[in-house]
Amino acid sequence: MKKVLIFSLAYYPSFVSGAEAAIKEITDRISPDDIEFHMLTLLFDKSVPREERIGNVYVHRVGFGGAYLSKIFFIPLAAAKARTLDAKLHFDALWSMMTYMLLPVVLAKSLGVKAPHVLTLQDGDPYEKVFERWFIRPIAPLLDYGFRTAAMIQTISVFLAEWPRKRGYTGPIELIYNGANPRDIKDAVSVSEVEEMKKKLGKKPGDLFLVNTSRLVHQKAFDDIIRALTKLPANIKLLAVGSGSDEADLKKLAEDLGVAGRVIFTGQVDRGVVTLYRRASDIFVAPSRSEGLGNAFISALASRLPLVATQVGGMADYVFDEAHNPDREPTAWVVDPDAPDQIAEKVKEIIANPEKAKQISMYARKMVEENYDWDIIARQMRERVFGRVLKS
């Protein structure tokens, strides 16, 4: 049995985005008799155990329980804990989840941890924002060292696959996508559950719900969807599923634009039930300003929802339409970033052409089944990433 130590700033049960979901979906599908996974993550909340097993991962939390202070000290604390764990468990590989987790990996190696490291790039911010923030520039050489010395780099999109070479890495790069939410791709919800959700949301006959199940942050461009509502009929509403730092500003924007009664903010929703919110809706709108891939949007395609989206970052790997990709089968309706007028027009186009929308959505679903199923992805990770680094 091999042992792998994962570095991830956040993890279940309280902090779950695309990267955390990817770790769990992959590790849960690899037998613990094959690879034993451990993780170093941040203790955000003192009420959470410092050590526990979640799925096939032994989670070790470090920090003081206060988000700000803990983030500052996470790198040295994680590196020191890695050394202690390695002395006891003798890890065969280290796995850094996203760029900044290279910092504790590099420090751990300087303290004597000898295992080779794998980097998974899942970053959603633009390249410039990740590497050129004022507080990152002084430590960029450490990140570059982490890139250059990685045994393997795996990326979840073609967009992210361009980053390693820019940082001086010359080794192998594996493109392995993230997957759709299993409940979406396995159709693991009933008609009665969906109808109950519609009642809970107050969806009336004739209502049409636009939906986005992402964090309420500038990157996701919920403000553009709200602005698009002003150009659409009153029966069209927005279901904003999630929470985030922009929530108060978005509520004020809806008030200022006179559409507050047409925007439903759900707050934080457990990933296990978010599929029901998608299935209760009609059109998924994802006008993101940057994305590493966009797990939630792939899940929308798995749910056979028409998708209105930009082609920024990793979204260009699966968001195609006739105008922008004439050589590809269309999967979505493409809009430019920061273009509420275009969002409104695409929504009208979908409503006016239901048969075409159904055909495109069915093809998109087939694409997801073939390329974005966690069962397939876990096998690819075991064979093409861990298999090469662990030599078995």
Side-chain angles (χ1 to χ4, degrees):
M1 181 179 62
K2 303 293 185 178
K3 295 183 176 69
V4 173
L5 178 60
I6 307 166
F7 291 77
S8 177
L9 185 64
Y11 201 56
Y12 288 76
S14 301
F15 301 94
V16 184
S17 61
E20 293 77 41
I23 294 171
K24 191 168 191 306
E25 297 295 346
I26 292 166
T27 56
D28 279 354
R29 288 166 172 78
I30 296 176
S31 169
D33 295 327
D34 180 16
I35 301 177
E36 180 179 291
F37 291 96
H38 290 255
M39 173 187 287
L40 286 169
T41 189
L42 182 61
L43 178 72
F44 284 95
D45 182 352
K46 290 182 180 180
S47 67
V48 176
R50 282 193 174 268
E51 295 193 356
E52 65 175 319
R53 183 170 180 174
I54 300 177
N56 191 23
V57 178
Y58 293 92
V59 178
H60 309 267
R61 297 185 177 91
V62 299
F64 312 114
Y68 182 73
L69 275 178
S70 289
K71 283 183 179 180
I72 292 175
F73 290 103
F74 176 76
I75 293 168
L77 290 173
K81 184 68 173 180
R83 181 185 179 185
T84 301
L85 289 173
D86 185 58
K88 176 183 177 183
L89 299 170
H90 308 293
F91 293 111
D92 298 284
L94 311 178
W95 182 12
S96 173
M97 180 53 67
M98 300 208 298
T99 298
Y100 294 152
M101 289 299 98
L102 283 172
L103 296 171
V105 166
V106 169
L107 184 54
K109 288 195 162 191
S110 74
L111 296 176
V113 179
K114 301 297 184 184
H117 69 275
V118 173
L119 167 62
T120 288
L121 288 178
Q122 296 236 9
D123 305 66
D125 288 329
Y127 178 86
E128 294 75 16
K129 188 173 182 180
V130 172
F131 294 101
E132 296 182 8
R133 292 170 174 167
W134 67 267
F135 55 90
I136 294 299
R137 288 177 186 171
I139 57 175
L142 291 176
L143 293 175
D144 290 344
Y145 180 78
F147 271 94
R148 292 196 308 271
T149 57
M152 166 78 68
I153 294 181
Q154 175 245 332
T155 73
I156 60 169
S157 65
V158 172
F159 161 69
L160 291 170
E162 299 172 354
W163 290 19
R165 304 299 184 216
K166 296 178 181 179
R167 309 313 299 184
Y169 176 72
T170 59
I173 299 173
E174 286 290 341
L175 172 60
I176 300 175
Y177 295 119
N178 277 353
N181 187 308
R183 296 199 77 195
D184 291 273
I185 202 165
K186 304 297 184 186
D187 292 322
V189 295
S190 66
V191 172
S192 61
E193 286 177 302
V194 174
E195 289 304 313
E196 189 61 33
M197 177 58 71
K198 289 179 181 178
K199 290 180 183 177
K200 175 183 174 181
L201 296 170
K203 189 176 187 183
K204 301 179 179 64
D207 282 352
L208 188 146
F209 276 17
L210 311 181
V211 65
N212 191 318
T213 57
S214 304
R215 290 174 296 121
L216 304 184
V217 294
H218 179 74
Q219 170 197 348
K220 304 296 183 178
F222 277 87
D223 54 313
D224 284 341
I225 312 176
I226 292 171
R227 289 186 174 91
L229 280 183
T230 66
K231 308 170 191 304
L232 291 165
N235 67 309
I236 299 178
K237 302 176 181 180
L238 169 62
L239 183 58
V241 182
S243 60
S245 57
D246 284 5
E247 184 169 350
D249 289 341
L250 292 170
K251 288 179 176 178
K252 185 177 186 304
L253 176 65
E255 288 279 359
D256 292 345
L257 295 178
V259 294
R262 295 166 58 191
V263 184
I264 302 167
F265 292 92
T266 68
Q268 187 65 38
V269 169
D270 186 89
R271 186 169 179 265
V273 299
V274 71
T275 300
L276 289 173
Y277 289 88
R278 281 191 281 266
R279 295 294 175 96
S281 302
D282 303 282
I283 300 171
F284 200 103
V285 183
S288 295
R289 297 178 170 105
S290 66
E291 286 291 345
L293 184 69
N295 291 28
F297 316 148
I298 292 169
S299 297
L301 296 180
S303 279
R304 303 177 183 85
L305 281 177
L307 174 65
V308 177
T310 57
Q311 289 184 319
V312 299
M315 294 172 75
D317 288 17
Y318 59 91
V319 172
F320 315 120
D321 74 354
E322 296 160 334
H324 297 79
N325 310 90
D327 57 332
R328 301 293 300 263
E329 194 77 27
T331 59
W333 287 257
V334 176
V335 295
D336 295 326
D338 302 304
D341 287 354
Q342 292 182 24
I343 294 171
E345 288 306 312
K346 295 300 182 183
V347 168
K348 292 175 184 176
E349 183 180 324
I350 291 168
I351 295 169
N353 299 278
E355 285 305 312
K356 181 180 179 181
K358 182 178 179 180
Q359 181 181 4
I360 290 174
S361 297
M362 291 303 294
Y363 177 81
R365 161 74 185 205
K366 181 174 181 290
M367 177 192 67
V368 171
E369 291 174 349
E370 293 173 351
N371 299 294
Y372 300 91
D373 185 325
W374 284 115
D375 292 341
I376 297 170
I377 291 161
R379 287 197 298 271
Q380 292 174 335
M381 287 293 294
R382 180 61 184 91
E383 295 167 5
R384 290 160 50 184
V385 177
F386 299 126
R388 291 170 67 176
V389 173
L390 300 172
K391 309 300 182 188
S392 67

